Structures are given as C-alpha cells and as structure tokens.
Amino acid sequence: MPPFDVPEGDPFGPHNLPYGVFSLGGPGTGSDSGSDGKSNSDSGRRSVGVRLGDHVLDAGAAAVELGSPYAALLARPSLNPLLAAGRTAWSDVRRAITAWVTVPAHRETIAPLLHPLSEVTLHLPFEVADYVDFYASENHARNVGQIFRPDAEDSLTPNWKHLPIGYHGRSGTVVVSGTEVVRPSGQRKAPADPAPVFGPSVRLDIEAEVGFVVGTPSAMGTAVPLSGFRDHVFGLCLLNDWSARDLQAWEYVPLGPFLGKSFATSVSAWITPLDALDDARVAPPTRTHPLLPYLDDASDASEDPGGYDLRISVAINGHVVSEPPFSTMYWTAAQQLAHMTVNGASLRTGDLYGSGTVSGASDNERGSLLELTWNGRDTLELPDGKRTFLEDGDTVTLTAWAPGPHGTRVGLGEVSGRVVAGA
Amino acid sequence: MPPFDVPEGDPFGPHNLPYGVFSLGGPGTGSDSGSDGKSNSDSGRRSVGVRLGDHVLDAGAAAVELGSPYAALLARPSLNPLLAAGRTAWSDVRRAITAWVTVPAHRETIAPLLHPLSEVTLHLPFEVADYVDFYASENHARNVGQIFRPDAEDSLTPNWKHLPIGYHGRSGTVVVSGTEVVRPSGQRKAPADPAPVFGPSVRLDIEAEVGFVVGTPSAMGTAVPLSGFRDHVFGLCLLNDWSARDLQAWEYVPLGPFLGKSFATSVSAWITPLDALDDARVAPPTRTHPLLPYLDDASDASEDPGGYDLRISVAINGHVVSEPPFSTMYWTAAQQLAHMTVNGASLRTGDLYGSGTVSGASDNERGSLLELTWNGRDTLELPDGKRTFLEDGDTVTLTAWAPGPHGTRVGLGEVSGRVVAGA
C-alpha cells in the first residue's frame, strides 16, 4: 500500500505533488471553482495546497504544524512567493513535502490536513504577470496555413522555422479551470460581405495548449540562455486558449489576434513542477533548418533535451475528440524562453507562456476545432449531436499525463470550462 | 501672483495638478529617474506626489498633516489605490488638493511639503496590469501602408475604418521616463537575404503616443459602453513605444509585433487626470465609414466629444524633429475602451492603453522616424549629424501641452529616454 492510502498507480501519487491554491468549502465539483471563478474568492482562507490522489494537502498548515522553514512560502494565498523563491527552494520544498506525505512519522500530523477535492474550492494559483502565447506546433501551423492560405506555395510563413512565433495576450482574463466562459461578441466580416456585422461569435473554438509558469525573474537588458530554462521556469499547466475564429479573422491583420482571444484563457488549477517531469523529457523533432546560436539546442551545453512527452486529451461534454501529443512540438519551452528574452525583455514572477496549439500528425491528434472540422467544412459526430464549433452549454475539458518514474504516470490537472451565452 | 509662487502661465499651475510617485533624493535630473529607473527604487520612501510648477507636493504627507480623509489614498507608494477609488473619489481628491495649494490658510502646512523636482526621484507611478497598444492615427496607418505595401490598392487594411486595431504588449517592460533603453538584439532578415542574421537592431525607432490609464475595473463578460469612458479612465500620460523596425518586419506575420516592441515602453512620470483636460476636448475627425453602434460616437448620448487637443513635440538630443497633433486621431480613447471590452474582456486597475503613433497630415507632424525618414530613404539633419534611425547615446524626449481654462496651458509630463548599447 502506498503512503497515505493513495492507490498504487494513481497519477497524483507522491511522485507528482502539483501545487495549487485552495480554500475550504466550495461547489463540490472537484477541481472546478464554480460557475464564476471569482465568486468564491472570499469564501474562505486561501492556502497553498498540494494534490495527493483525490485529496488536497493544506501545505501551508502542514508547514506551520511541522515547524518547517518553508511556512513563509506555503502559508500564503498564492503560489507567487514560492515561485519567486528560486530553483533551489523549489527542490528543497518539494523534498520536504515528499517526506511529509511518505514518512509514517508524519501521518498523524498530515492526515487531518488532507481535504477531499470535493470539499474545496480551487483558485487561480498565481498572479499572472505577462501572458505570451506561442505557435510552436508545425502540424498546427501547417493546418492553419492550408486552411487560410490554400494557394500559398508553403503552408508555413517564411519565419516559422527560424524563430518561435509568439505574441502577448491578456493576462487579466486568465481564469482557473471551472470558470464559465461567456461567448464573446464582436465584429465579423467574411471577405464577400459588404460590411462587418456585430454579434455573438459563431465560430467559438478551443486551443489545447501547455502553459509554462515563470518563477525566477530576470533583469531588463539581459537575455536568458537556453541553459537557463530550469532556473527560471517553475512548472507547467494545461491551458485552453479559447478563440473566436470569426472575430480573429477580421481583426488580425496587421497586428495579430486581439479580441478573438482576449475574452478568456483557462488554466488548470494545478501547476506541475518541472521536477516531477524528469522522466517525461524527450528530444524535440529533428529541426529541418539551421538555427541561430541562441536557439540552437542541438549544440547547447545543457543536458536537458528540451521536449516533454505529455499526452493530452480533449473532450467535449465528456467525449474525447482528440489526443494531441506534446512531444511533437517543433519549438521547446526553453527555446521560447530564450527567444522571448533575447531582446532584453525582462521576466517577472508569474509570467505565463503558452506553447501554442498542440496538434499531432494524425487527424485525431488536432488541438482545435478549426483543424478537427477543417474550418467547419467537416462535422464532429458527438453522442449529443454534430459540432463544427462550440455551442452554448458545451463543456470542454483538457486532461493529460506524462511518463513518471518506474513506469508510473504523472497526471496534469484538468482544465475545464463551460460555454454560456452572453447577457 | 498666483498661489504658492507658481508663475502666472506656468503649464503646471494649480489648474493642472498631475499625479506621480516620488521619493526624496535622486539623481538631480528633474523628472528623470536616473540611468536605470529601478536602481533608485529603494533609496527612499515612496509617496504620491502632485506637481506644482517645478516642485512636487508630497500629497501623502499633506493629507496626513491636514487630517484629510484621503490620506489612505495618497500616503501610498503607488497611484493604484487612488486609481481604484473611482470617479467620484478622483474629483473629490482633486478638489481637496486644489484647495491645499491655493487657499492661503494652508500655506504654512503645505510649503515645507513642496520639494524641488531636482531633489526627488520619480518612479513608475502605478503598477501596470495589461498593456494594449492601438493604431489609431489615419495618417500614421496610411504612411506605414505606403511604406510597406506600396503596390496595395488602399494603404489601409480593409478593417481599419471599422474598428480600432490594437494588440497586447508587454506590461513588465513599461518603464518610467528617464530609464535608459538598451538597444535590443534579435533576428532580422531582408526579403532578399538568404537567411536571418542576429545582432543589435539597426533600425531602432520611437513612436510618439498618448497612454490612457484605467482606474475603475470592469467585470468579465460585460462591455464598457462609450459613455463609460470617464467612469473607467483616470488620466493620461505621454508614451514612447520604442520599436525595432528590423526585428518587427521579420517576426510580425502572422501574429503581430512581439520582440520588436517588448524590450521597452516608456511613460511619463506624471499622470494628468482627465478632469484637468476638460478644455482640451475636441471632436474627432469626421468618420468616412459608418460605425457599428458600440463605436458610433456621433449618436452616443454622452456629451463628451471624445477627442483631445494635445500638442506633442518630439525632440532628439534637444532638437525638435516633429510636432504631432493628437486632435487628428481617427479613433478616440473612448472608442478604444469600448472596443477593447466589447468581447467581455475585463478591465483591471492599472490597465494602460496606448493611442498608437500620433502623426499629423504634414511631414513635420509624423510621430516615428519610420515615417520622418520614410523607412531610412531620407535623412533627418540634426545639429549633431544625420539620422535615419536612432544611434547609441541619442536621447528622445516627448513633451506636450493642451489648452487649459481661461487661455492657460496644461503641461503633460515629459517622457524621455536615452539609447545605450547592449552589453
């Protein structure tokens, strides 16, 4: 029997230990935070929690009870102090918590601090500083190119293989899993229409992504090299980059996506530390174009191969529609970090960057409805009806796991959201 | 003699009263914060300051000394509490401060709390939440279109007259006037080059803009109408959107500007409350295209015409190179706010949005070197040599004034920054 009654093989066993922020009481919906991620924000004291099976350990209270020197990092209403503490502290704290949940001598102290997931509310676990979204899947970029530029000689833009394309998104509308997503309104205009019309989006989509959370800041005017990735990035989460394709198509030339994306970005309530994912590290796909030195991970001295083998699953109303493999991403999170800072842009604790839509090579590995339905040309057959894009009432849930030590699986926290009509 | 020895006609007289954050001691450079806006961050207690002539009133200390109920908003190290207090509080506080600096009975209390600008350090006056940059000058957009798409039928993209185009920028690199700007490095590739090269930008530019500062937040899922502009926006500042044109040209298709902009955005140390600019309000240019109702300010019930008559001046090393008139902007700040939230995106206290480069119709009214030199084809003749783009050591300073009551001028705080080479 594994420690503290977590079943053998549980993807949230003591080899995982992702971090979140919780308060007692809640809607009883497990990892959801209720119909409005903000409505419960004051319904109880917030503390850093660590997931163990289907329970949450009150890590703040545990640290206090056990007289841990990390109480100052854990008995807090946000992960930000822990994020800011740096890589050595991340490892030390993880080692301490592993001991708390595995050493029998701690059982009497820890057991009363484990709360069933169904009895807590999970909150946005950190204060998002800047939010950047990348575009790092070659399959996704080629699909999008073929859909929107069918006559182009190359489905990729000329820069795509030379740099990880990215743009800034709206950090103020990053919400935790469980937060309802109000269908956005805005302008849309098909090329043949005489003028734009205004109304609720008719092409509401998702993008299955992985989000990376920066802990250690960097100074303006300095670049973070590839080898600095693990010093600066604390962990990862699942991320759904909700997208209104009709708004986006009309607005995005020449300055990029704006209202088509800024209405909501959902992240999982659990941040998985990179320290839990050492067995999931894989080499990225072979690069077909030579890279400038600051992006060249083949010749980089660090031992980290850069890729992560994360198996993502996309479900609509509980029905799996796609299983995007993160290992296929052309650009790694380390390359994205190096690129993002090579111009001297600083990092702040709480910076979040999304990988871009994860799409594999196969039809059933695509990370957006845009690709799965080829921009609405095809339909998805679900038990509750056909879909091209999302309908009001649809719930989209991303889940994922990664290979862990000794044949285990490391579960990532789900990110889920239900679409509701605007007022 | 005007109150408290401010000369008659001073653009920072008691009709103005912009807000900033200062600490005592400093580099003696007036409104600069030294060679590195962050190096002085802990050199003294920060407090809200109000500019009066060439002095700064310690508004926090004044509020405490006078037993003002606004001490909780002013005796703070940031403008955020005042910003969050809402429109009624903004007017009440302004009325109170006006009395402090004009009613002779307060003179004895106030005089010792007035510090010469040369003896203080000015800091970034608020915590920037999200930063959005617009593209609202028709002259600028047409110039850019003619430069980069000389063969296009229309120099404007098809969406330009239907919506205020905008994108999110990096809030973590918004810096206060006086902060040195390190020349960014990155990839560039001219269309004829076989591959991109890496190095310091060779086309470093400025964009003369006005920044609008959001005070009152809004809820996700709700739109802020045109008539809500004054309820949500506290004031404005000058903003220099530093731009590396070579980096930008290579990276920006299809997701917009990223590293070409994210290395630094400078704002003035003084935020001018909109309440000080009532006499500067003007009607925007006549719109040539019908607008959707949420943007249609001609039929909007509010009495605010939407435009502001701000006379901007751009100087390089003290030599004026352009005088962009803000009154020519096609899209108003109220329209930008309505557009930014029409998809349900929420506002947070501290959100900052830039107008986009301000360019008038005349050659000497252009707000970027890109336009002033027609992408380097022409040269600017300065007393210290020719320029196409910026050289290391160049200092760019934006200043501005607006019509005030009774023929006065309302001065805007300058935004200045010196370009230095990277390490």
Side-chain angles (χ1 to χ4, degrees), chain B residues 359-415:
Chain B
S359 289
S362 302
D363 291 359
N364 60 354
E365 294 179 335
R366 295 169 174 168
S368 68
L369 293 174
L370 174 73
E371 296 161 89
L372 287 165
T373 72
W374 214 250
N375 201 23
R377 182 195 69 187
D378 308 329
T379 52
L380 280 182
E381 308 286 339
L382 299 185
D384 56 353
K386 296 180 179 185
R387 291 289 186 290
T388 49
F389 291 96
L390 294 173
E391 298 184 0
D392 291 344
D394 281 347
T395 295
V396 179
T397 304
L398 312 182
T399 53
W401 61 273
H406 315 298
T408 58
R409 291 184 172 193
V410 175
L412 271 61
E414 71 174 22
V415 59

Coordinates of all heavy atoms in Angstrom, one line a residue, chain B residues 359-415:
Chain B
S359 N 0.4 60.8 -35.7 CA 1.0 61.5 -36.9 C 0.0 62.4 -37.5 O -1.2 62.0 -37.8 CB 1.5 60.5 -37.9 OG 2.6 59.8 -37.5
G360 N 0.4 63.7 -37.7 CA -0.5 64.6 -38.4 C -0.3 64.5 -39.9 O 0.4 63.6 -40.4
A361 N -1.0 65.4 -40.6 CA -1.0 65.3 -42.1 C 0.3 65.8 -42.7 O 0.7 65.4 -43.8 CB -2.2 66.1 -42.6
S362 N 1.0 66.7 -42.0 CA 2.2 67.3 -42.5 C 3.4 66.5 -42.3 O 3.5 65.7 -41.3 CB 2.4 68.7 -41.9 OG 1.3 69.5 -42.1
D363 N 4.4 66.7 -43.1 CA 5.7 66.0 -43.0 C 6.3 66.2 -41.6 O 6.9 65.3 -41.0 CB 6.7 66.4 -44.0 CG 6.3 66.0 -45.4 OD1 5.2 65.4 -45.5 OD2 7.0 66.4 -46.4
N364 N 6.2 67.4 -41.0 CA 6.8 67.6 -39.7 C 5.9 67.3 -38.6 O 6.1 67.8 -37.5 CB 7.3 69.1 -39.7 CG 6.1 70.1 -39.8 OD1 5.0 69.7 -40.1 ND2 6.4 71.3 -39.7
E365 N 4.9 66.5 -38.8 CA 4.0 66.1 -37.7 C 3.9 64.6 -37.5 O 3.0 64.1 -36.9 CB 2.5 66.6 -38.1 CG 2.4 68.1 -38.0 CD 1.0 68.6 -38.4 OE1 0.2 67.8 -39.0 OE2 0.6 69.7 -38.0
R366 N 5.0 63.9 -38.1 CA 5.0 62.5 -38.0 C 5.6 62.0 -36.7 O 6.6 62.5 -36.3 CB 5.7 61.9 -39.2 CG 5.0 62.2 -40.5 CD 5.9 61.9 -41.7 NE 5.1 62.1 -43.0 CZ 5.6 62.1 -44.2 NH1 7.0 62.0 -44.3 NH2 4.9 62.3 -45.2
G367 N 5.0 61.0 -36.1 CA 5.4 60.5 -34.8 C 6.4 59.4 -34.7 O 6.6 58.8 -33.7
S368 N 7.0 59.0 -35.8 CA 8.0 58.0 -35.8 C 9.1 58.3 -36.9 O 8.9 59.0 -37.8 CB 7.4 56.6 -36.2 OG 7.0 56.6 -37.5
L369 N 10.3 57.8 -36.6 CA 11.4 58.0 -37.6 C 11.1 57.2 -38.9 O 11.5 57.6 -40.0 CB 12.7 57.6 -37.0 CG 13.2 58.5 -35.8 CD1 14.5 57.9 -35.2 CD2 13.5 59.9 -36.3
L370 N 10.4 56.1 -38.7 CA 10.0 55.3 -39.9 C 9.3 56.2 -40.9 O 9.6 56.2 -42.1 CB 9.0 54.2 -39.5 CG 8.4 53.4 -40.6 CD1 9.4 52.5 -41.2 CD2 7.1 52.6 -40.0
E371 N 8.4 57.1 -40.4 CA 7.7 58.0 -41.3 C 8.5 59.2 -41.6 O 8.5 59.7 -42.8 CB 6.4 58.4 -40.7 CG 5.4 57.3 -40.4 CD 4.3 57.7 -39.4 OE1 3.3 58.2 -39.8 OE2 4.6 57.4 -38.2
L372 N 9.2 59.8 -40.6 CA 10.0 61.0 -40.8 C 11.1 60.8 -41.9 O 11.5 61.7 -42.6 CB 10.6 61.5 -39.5 CG 9.6 62.1 -38.5 CD1 10.2 62.2 -37.1 CD2 9.1 63.5 -39.0
T373 N 11.7 59.6 -41.9 CA 12.8 59.3 -42.9 C 12.3 58.4 -44.0 O 13.1 57.9 -44.8 CB 14.0 58.7 -42.2 OG1 13.7 57.3 -41.8 CG2 14.4 59.4 -41.0
W374 N 11.0 58.1 -44.0 CA 10.4 57.2 -45.0 C 11.2 55.8 -45.1 O 11.7 55.5 -46.1 CB 10.3 57.9 -46.4 CG 9.0 57.4 -47.1 CD1 9.0 56.6 -48.2 CD2 7.7 57.7 -46.7 NE1 7.7 56.4 -48.5 CE2 6.8 57.0 -47.6 CE3 7.1 58.4 -45.7 CZ2 5.4 57.1 -47.6 CZ3 5.7 58.5 -45.6 CH2 4.9 57.8 -46.6
N375 N 11.3 55.2 -43.9 CA 12.0 54.0 -43.7 C 13.5 54.0 -44.1 O 14.0 53.1 -44.6 CB 11.3 52.8 -44.5 CG 11.7 51.4 -43.9 OD1 12.1 51.3 -42.8 ND2 11.5 50.4 -44.8
G376 N 14.1 55.2 -43.8 CA 15.5 55.3 -44.0 C 15.9 55.8 -45.4 O 17.1 56.1 -45.6
R377 N 14.9 56.1 -46.2 CA 15.2 56.6 -47.5 C 15.8 58.0 -47.4 O 16.7 58.4 -48.1 CB 13.9 56.6 -48.4 CG 14.1 57.1 -49.8 CD 12.8 57.5 -50.5 NE 12.2 58.6 -49.9 CZ 10.9 59.1 -50.1 NH1 10.2 58.4 -51.0 NH2 10.5 60.2 -49.5
D378 N 15.2 58.8 -46.5 CA 15.6 60.2 -46.3 C 16.4 60.3 -45.0 O 16.3 59.4 -44.2 CB 14.4 61.1 -46.2 CG 13.4 60.9 -47.4 OD1 13.9 60.6 -48.5 OD2 12.2 61.1 -47.2
T379 N 17.0 61.4 -44.8 CA 17.7 61.6 -43.5 C 17.2 62.8 -42.8 O 16.7 63.8 -43.5 CB 19.2 61.7 -43.7 OG1 19.5 62.8 -44.7 CG2 19.9 60.5 -44.2
L380 N 17.2 62.8 -41.5 CA 17.0 63.9 -40.7 C 18.3 64.6 -40.4 O 19.3 64.0 -40.1 CB 16.4 63.5 -39.3 CG 14.9 63.2 -39.2 CD1 14.6 62.8 -37.7 CD2 14.1 64.3 -39.7
E381 N 18.3 65.9 -40.6 CA 19.5 66.7 -40.4 C 19.4 67.3 -39.0 O 18.6 68.2 -38.7 CB 19.6 67.9 -41.4 CG 19.5 67.4 -42.9 CD 20.8 66.7 -43.4 OE1 21.8 66.9 -42.8 OE2 20.6 65.9 -44.3
L382 N 20.2 66.8 -38.1 CA 20.3 67.4 -36.7 C 21.6 68.1 -36.6 O 22.6 67.8 -37.3 CB 20.2 66.3 -35.7 CG 19.0 65.4 -35.7 CD1 19.1 64.4 -34.5 CD2 17.7 66.2 -35.6
P383 N 21.7 69.1 -35.7 CA 22.9 69.8 -35.4 C 24.1 68.8 -35.1 O 25.3 69.2 -35.4 CB 22.6 70.7 -34.2 CG 21.1 70.9 -34.3 CD 20.6 69.6 -34.8
D384 N 23.8 67.7 -34.6 CA 24.9 66.8 -34.3 C 25.0 65.6 -35.3 O 25.6 64.6 -35.0 CB 24.8 66.2 -32.8 CG 23.4 65.5 -32.6 OD1 22.5 65.6 -33.5 OD2 23.2 64.9 -31.5
G385 N 24.5 65.8 -36.5 CA 24.7 64.8 -37.5 C 23.4 64.4 -38.1 O 22.3 64.8 -37.7
K386 N 23.5 63.5 -39.1 CA 22.3 63.0 -39.8 C 21.8 61.8 -39.1 O 22.5 61.0 -38.4 CB 22.7 62.6 -41.2 CG 23.1 63.7 -42.1 CD 23.5 63.3 -43.5 CE 23.9 64.5 -44.4 NZ 24.1 64.1 -45.8
R387 N 20.5 61.6 -39.2 CA 19.9 60.4 -38.6 C 18.9 59.8 -39.6 O 18.2 60.5 -40.3 CB 19.0 60.7 -37.4 CG 19.8 61.2 -36.2 CD 20.6 60.1 -35.5 NE 21.2 60.6 -34.3 CZ 22.2 61.4 -34.2 NH1 22.7 61.9 -35.3 NH2 22.6 61.8 -33.0
T388 N 18.9 58.4 -39.7 CA 17.7 57.7 -40.2 C 17.0 57.1 -39.1 O 15.8 57.5 -38.8 CB 18.1 56.7 -41.3 OG1 19.2 55.9 -40.7 CG2 18.6 57.3 -42.5
F389 N 17.7 56.2 -38.4 CA 17.1 55.7 -37.1 C 18.0 56.1 -36.0 O 18.9 56.9 -36.2 CB 16.9 54.1 -37.2 CG 15.8 53.8 -38.2 CD1 16.1 53.5 -39.5 CD2 14.5 53.8 -37.8 CE1 15.1 53.2 -40.5 CE2 13.5 53.5 -38.7 CZ 13.8 53.2 -40.0
L390 N 17.7 55.6 -34.7 CA 18.4 56.1 -33.6 C 19.8 55.5 -33.4 O 20.0 54.4 -33.7 CB 17.6 55.8 -32.3 CG 16.3 56.5 -32.2 CD1 15.5 56.0 -31.0 CD2 16.4 58.0 -32.1
E391 N 20.7 56.4 -32.9 CA 22.1 55.9 -32.6 C 22.2 55.8 -31.1 O 21.5 56.4 -30.3 CB 23.1 56.9 -33.2 CG 23.0 57.0 -34.7 CD 24.0 58.0 -35.3 OE1 24.8 58.5 -34.5 OE2 24.0 58.1 -36.5
D392 N 23.2 55.0 -30.7 CA 23.5 54.8 -29.3 C 23.9 56.2 -28.7 O 24.6 57.0 -29.4 CB 24.7 53.9 -29.1 CG 24.3 52.4 -29.4 OD1 23.0 52.1 -29.5 OD2 25.2 51.6 -29.5
G393 N 23.4 56.5 -27.6 CA 23.6 57.8 -27.0 C 22.5 58.9 -27.3 O 22.5 59.9 -26.6
D394 N 21.7 58.6 -28.2 CA 20.6 59.5 -28.5 C 19.6 59.5 -27.4 O 19.2 58.5 -26.9 CB 19.9 59.1 -29.8 CG 20.6 59.6 -31.1 OD1 21.6 60.4 -31.0 OD2 20.2 59.1 -32.2
T395 N 19.1 60.7 -27.0 CA 18.1 60.9 -26.1 C 16.8 61.4 -26.8 O 16.9 62.4 -27.5 CB 18.4 61.9 -24.9 OG1 19.5 61.3 -24.2 CG2 17.3 62.1 -24.0
V396 N 15.7 60.7 -26.6 CA 14.5 61.1 -27.3 C 13.5 61.6 -26.2 O 13.4 60.9 -25.1 CB 13.8 59.9 -28.0 CG1 12.5 60.3 -28.6 CG2 14.7 59.3 -29.1
T397 N 13.0 62.7 -26.4 CA 12.1 63.3 -25.4 C 10.8 63.8 -26.0 O 10.8 64.5 -27.0 CB 12.8 64.6 -24.7 OG1 14.0 64.2 -24.2 CG2 11.9 65.1 -23.6
L398 N 9.7 63.3 -25.4 CA 8.4 63.8 -25.9 C 7.8 64.7 -24.8 O 7.9 64.4 -23.6 CB 7.4 62.6 -26.0 CG 7.8 61.4 -26.8 CD1 6.6 60.3 -26.8 CD2 8.2 61.7 -28.2
T399 N 7.3 65.8 -25.3 CA 6.6 66.8 -24.4 C 5.3 67.1 -25.0 O 5.1 66.8 -26.2 CB 7.4 68.1 -24.1 OG1 7.8 68.6 -25.4 CG2 8.8 67.8 -23.4
A400 N 4.4 67.7 -24.2 CA 3.1 68.1 -24.8 C 2.4 69.1 -23.9 O 2.7 69.2 -22.7 CB 2.2 66.8 -25.0
W401 N 1.5 69.8 -24.5 CA 0.6 70.6 -23.7 C -0.8 70.6 -24.4 O -0.9 70.2 -25.5 CB 1.1 72.1 -23.6 CG 1.3 72.8 -24.9 CD1 2.3 72.8 -25.7 CD2 0.3 73.7 -25.5 NE1 2.1 73.6 -26.8 CE2 0.8 74.1 -26.7 CE3 -1.0 74.0 -25.2 CZ2 0.1 75.0 -27.6 CZ3 -1.7 74.9 -26.0 CH2 -1.1 75.4 -27.2
A402 N -1.7 71.1 -23.6 CA -3.1 71.1 -24.0 C -3.7 72.4 -23.6 O -3.3 73.0 -22.6 CB -3.9 69.9 -23.4
P403 N -4.8 72.9 -24.3 CA -5.4 74.1 -23.9 C -6.1 73.9 -22.5 O -6.7 72.8 -22.3 CB -6.5 74.3 -24.9 CG -6.1 73.5 -26.1 CD -5.3 72.3 -25.6
G404 N -5.9 74.8 -21.6 CA -6.5 74.8 -20.3 C -7.5 75.9 -20.1 O -7.9 76.6 -21.1
P405 N -8.1 76.0 -18.9 CA -9.1 77.0 -18.7 C -8.5 78.4 -18.8 O -7.4 78.7 -18.5 CB -9.6 76.7 -17.3 CG -8.5 76.0 -16.6 CD -7.8 75.2 -17.7
H406 N -9.4 79.3 -19.4 CA -9.0 80.8 -19.4 C -7.7 81.0 -20.2 O -6.9 81.8 -19.7 CB -8.9 81.4 -18.0 CG -10.1 81.0 -17.1 ND1 -11.4 81.3 -17.5 CD2 -10.1 80.3 -16.0 CE1 -12.2 80.8 -16.5 NE2 -11.5 80.1 -15.6
G407 N -7.5 80.3 -21.2 CA -6.3 80.5 -22.0 C -5.0 80.0 -21.5 O -3.9 80.2 -22.0
T408 N -5.1 79.2 -20.4 CA -3.9 78.6 -19.9 C -3.5 77.4 -20.7 O -4.2 77.0 -21.6 CB -4.1 78.2 -18.4 OG1 -5.2 77.2 -18.4 CG2 -4.4 79.3 -17.5
R409 N -2.3 76.9 -20.4 CA -1.8 75.7 -21.0 C -1.7 74.6 -19.9 O -1.2 74.9 -18.8 CB -0.5 75.8 -21.6 CG -0.5 76.6 -22.9 CD 0.8 76.7 -23.6 NE 0.8 77.3 -24.9 CZ 1.7 77.3 -25.8 NH1 2.8 76.6 -25.6 NH2 1.5 77.9 -27.0
V410 N -2.1 73.4 -20.2 CA -1.9 72.3 -19.3 C -0.7 71.5 -19.8 O -0.8 70.9 -20.9 CB -3.2 71.4 -19.2 CG1 -2.9 70.1 -18.3 CG2 -4.4 72.2 -18.7
G411 N 0.3 71.5 -19.0 CA 1.5 70.7 -19.4 C 1.4 69.2 -19.1 O 0.9 68.8 -18.1
L412 N 1.8 68.4 -20.1 CA 1.9 67.0 -19.8 C 3.4 66.7 -19.4 O 4.3 67.3 -19.8 CB 1.6 66.1 -21.0 CG 0.1 65.7 -21.2 CD1 -0.8 67.0 -21.3 CD2 -0.1 64.8 -22.4
G413 N 3.5 65.7 -18.5 CA 4.9 65.4 -18.1 C 5.7 64.8 -19.3 O 5.1 64.1 -20.1
E414 N 6.9 65.1 -19.3 CA 7.7 64.6 -20.4 C 8.0 63.1 -20.3 O 8.0 62.6 -19.2 CB 9.1 65.4 -20.5 CG 10.0 65.0 -19.4 CD 11.4 65.7 -19.5 OE1 11.5 66.7 -20.2 OE2 12.3 65.2 -18.9
V415 N 8.3 62.5 -21.4 CA 8.8 61.1 -21.4 C 10.1 61.1 -22.2 O 10.2 61.6 -23.3 CB 7.8 60.1 -21.9 CG1 7.4 60.3 -23.3 CG2 8.4 58.7 -21.7

